[in-house]
């Protein structure tokens, strides 16, 4: 259980960093909702609205696993 808790804490910290690095939606332009999900449990770790204009050709964003 402690290992899973530690894994989730590290994953949550990474999700927070990713969400903070996304451009903030201005509330005016069309937006997309970016969800950050634990790939193992499918638990939602974070979400952020971003301007659709920064992602014109993308319909799905995927976080690739970081190299160990």
């Amino acid at each position: 259980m402690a290992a899973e808790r530690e894994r989730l804490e590290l994953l949550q910290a990474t999700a927070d960093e990713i969400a903070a690095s996304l451009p903030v939606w201005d509330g005016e332009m069309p937006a997309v909702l970016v969800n950050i999900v634990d790939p193992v449990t499918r638990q939602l770790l974070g979400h952020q609205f971003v301007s659709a204009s920064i992602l014109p050709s993308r319909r799905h964003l995927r976080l690739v696993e970081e190299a160990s």
Side-chain angles (χ1 to χ4, degrees), residues 25-45:
W25 178 49
D26 64 5
E28 300 289 324
M29 302 290 291
V32 294
L33 177 62
V34 176
N35 289 318
I36 303 167
V37 179
D38 179 350
V40 175
T41 66
R42 304 287 188 220
Q43 175 183 351
L44 181 64
L45 299 171

Side-chain angles (χ1 to χ4, degrees), residues 15-67:
D16 293 343
E17 286 178 29
I18 292 167
S21 72
L22 294 171
V24 178
W25 178 49
D26 64 5
E28 300 289 324
M29 302 290 291
V32 294
L33 177 62
V34 176
N35 289 318
I36 303 167
V37 179
D38 179 350
V40 175
T41 66
R42 304 287 188 220
Q43 175 183 351
L44 181 64
L45 299 171
H47 62 277
Q48 175 97 12
F49 281 101
V50 297
S51 174
S53 64
I54 67 160
L55 306 168
S57 63
R58 302 277 182 170
R59 294 199 65 177
H60 292 89
L61 299 175
R62 296 186 186 268
L63 173 66
V64 293
E65 291 186 37
E66 296 178 355

